[in-house]
Each structure stands twice: as C-alpha cells, then as structure tokens.
Amino acid sequence: MSWGLSNRLNRVLPGLASGTGSVMFAIDHGYFMGPTTGLEDPKKTIVPLLPHGDSLMLTRGILKSCIPKECKLPIVLRVSSGNSILNDDMSNEKLCVSTEDAIRLNASAVAFSIYVGAEYEHQTLVEFSKLINEAHRYGIPVLAVTAVGKNMDRDLRYLSLASRIAAELGADMIKTYYCEDFSRLVNVCHVPVVIAGGKKIPEADALQLAHNAISDGAAGVDMGRNIFQAESPSDMIQAVRSVVVEGVSPEDAYKNYKSSLR
Ligand code: 5RP
C-alpha cells in the first residue's frame, strides 16, 4: 500500500490507528432515492452534524452545492450510479464519476456498489475492478458497498460472499450489513469492514447495532438514516460516536441521548 493510500485510509477511518471504531456519516442516498427524508435540505440539517463524524460519504452534487469549502472531514465520494428506486432490480449501476473529478473534489476515498447475485453482478464487479486500477494509480482507497440480489437474505452466507469478493478484487474497505455471526465475516475479509445502519429503527436499537458491530470486529459504522432521520440527528450522531469511538455502552448512550432531548 502506498503511503498516500494508507494516509487517506487512516484519515477516513482514524480509529484504525487509535484502536477504536470510526464514524463515517453517510448521506449519499439521494443518488437513487431522490429527496430522502431528512436530506431535503442538507445545508440546514447535515452541516451542523459534521463536527461529530470522522468522514462523510456523499455524492459530488451535494458536496459541491451544500458542503462548506472549509469542511475538514475526509470525503468518501460515491462514484457509482445509474439507477433509481423506481426499478425493480437496483443493480444496473456503473462507474459514473472519474477519478480525475474525485481528485479535483479532494476526495479521500471513493465508494462503489457491487451487486453480488443480482442481474448486473458481472457488470458491477468488472466496473469495480477497473475503478480500483484507476483509483490506486493515484493512491485513493476504494470502499466497496456490498449489496446482494433482491431475493437473497442479508445473512452471513451471502454478505460474506459479497464482502470477500470485494476484498479479493482489491477493495481497501468494505461496507456491508450486520448479521448473525458477523465476526466470521470480518475474519474472512482481511480489510476493514464497516456496517451500514440500514432503514430507520428505534434509536436504542441503532445504538445496540453499532455496539454489536464494533464488538464483533467492525472498523466502524457507515451510518445514515439512523442518524439523519432520528428525532434529534445532532444528539444521535453524538450518541453513535460515544458507542463507536468512546466505548460507551449502548444503554448509557441511549440514556444520554434521551436526556439531551429534554
Ligand atoms: C446507500 C448507501 C448508504 O450510504 C449506506 O447504506 C449507509 O446508509 P444507511 O445507514 O442509511 O443504510 O450506500 O446506497
């Protein structure tokens, strides 16, 4: 790994060096979901939360139009797209942002979705591999966003299949979903694994999920809806951070969260 790539990776996931988890704040949902609840006005709702994240995952459109130029967070730029929630099969994505533009936007990493077991599996895996060739030429780490076919359970079998394939193809970090026996998935990937939060669930459950993932070896969370759709997004990102980075128990983090609402 070149010094530049390693340095960028450690800025995106600072917990790798300190031995804690890291908080990647994900707000890229609009690239296929449009005006997602909680992200309608990112300047108003998201910018105040930035000081509490370690890195920010988003599209170039929202980066350019809503994120202040003084932003200190390392940027994880989504570079795959080509689909919308209106399609039954969501896997028809390709590489849509050049590495040149990622560099121009000062991205610290790029993120690409692979769809294992889906209709466009082959296309996404080949495009992903080509992205790695290109991004690594410039020392830019690549985050594999793993998705599995729509008829597949998000369980250890399929999620570890998708995650290990991503690692074999050269991913520098992997985003997947938490599942039973998650530590077995982490153990077969050999690169840092972060978990997505998934659909909004009660805050106490989201904090428990974050705790379970870190306890099972995740390098952090790549969490979006469970932060920006929480009753108080600002208090929620701080609660998630307390669990993931400071090792606060999910029960105490939830108590703190509830008391900060009053
Ligand atoms: C969307 C993504 C999201 O960034 C990822 O799923 C994390 O967000 P959430 O916690 O809301 O699931 O990759 O494709």
Side-chain angles (χ1 to χ4, degrees), residues 184-240:
R184 289 177 62 193
L185 182 154
V186 172
N187 288 339
V188 296
C189 282
H190 313 117
V191 291
V193 178
V194 296
I195 61 139
K199 283 187 183 153
K200 173 79 177 71
I201 52 178
E203 280 86 343
D205 295 345
L207 294 169
Q208 185 68 51
L209 174 73
H211 167 82
N212 292 348
I214 299 297
S215 304
D216 286 354
V221 295
D222 179 17
M223 194 175 268
R225 287 164 287 182
N226 279 291
I227 294 173
F228 61 72
Q229 293 177 350
E231 186 180 352
S232 170
S234 170
D235 292 314
M236 187 58 181
I237 193 170
Q238 292 179 68
V240 170

Side-chain angles (χ1 to χ4, degrees), residues 26 28-29 31-32 57 78 145 175 177 196-198 222-225:
D28 61 319
H29 306 62
Y31 90 93
F32 71 104
M57 178 184 178
R78 172 165 282 281
V145 177
K175 189 210 80 174
Y177 292 93
D222 179 17
M223 194 175 268
R225 287 164 287 182

